[in-house]
Amino acid sequence: MSNTAVEQQNYDAKDPFAGLALVTKPVPKAEPGHVVVRITLRPVNPADLFNISSNTLRIPGSEGFGIVHEVGEGVTAVAKGQRVVPFKSTEVARGGKVFLTG
């Protein structure tokens, strides 16, 4: 299984958006203590545009909405299929916050 993402592959100060590319990546496996969230909505906000133009962001999208796709061993706060709103979704794997919905 794979997913599609927008990724900043290179940076050119004259045209920072030229380095953005649509890429296909494998869906990660949930490691112990982590979850994999299938993002169903991810807006690109002005902060993302600033980060792209200043070469500080590789994958645009600092928030999103999704559904828990897989739950790692030891996770009890969420369940597969649950709707969640990961805050700073690119940071969830590194301990970012996840807010539950519905």
Side-chain angles (χ1 to χ4, degrees):
M1 182 181 252
S2 63
N3 62 24
T4 304
V6 174
E7 183 176 80
Q8 188 175 14
Q9 295 188 327
N10 56 57
Y11 179 75
D12 179 350
K14 293 180 182 179
D15 187 3
F17 298 97
L20 295 176
L22 196 58
V23 298
T24 301
K25 295 186 171 262
V27 173
K29 293 286 185 190
E31 297 178 12
H34 292 97
V35 299
V36 174
V37 176
R38 180 175 55 88
I39 300 297
T40 55
L41 175 68
R42 178 179 278 172
V44 177
N45 66 35
D48 297 322
L49 300 177
F50 171 77
N51 288 330
I52 291 168
S53 64
S54 63
N55 196 26
T56 59
L57 182 70
R58 294 290 175 223
I59 300 174
S62 58
E63 68 262 342
F65 172 84
I67 299 170
V68 175
H69 174 73
E70 185 180 0
V71 178
E73 181 181 338
V75 174
T76 59
V78 295
K80 183 175 181 175
Q82 190 169 2
R83 295 180 299 172
V84 295
V85 178
F87 178 70
K88 285 203 159 208
S89 52
T90 56
E91 298 295 321
V92 167
R94 286 174 259 173
K97 297 177 182 177
V98 175
F99 298 95
L100 308 179
T101 63

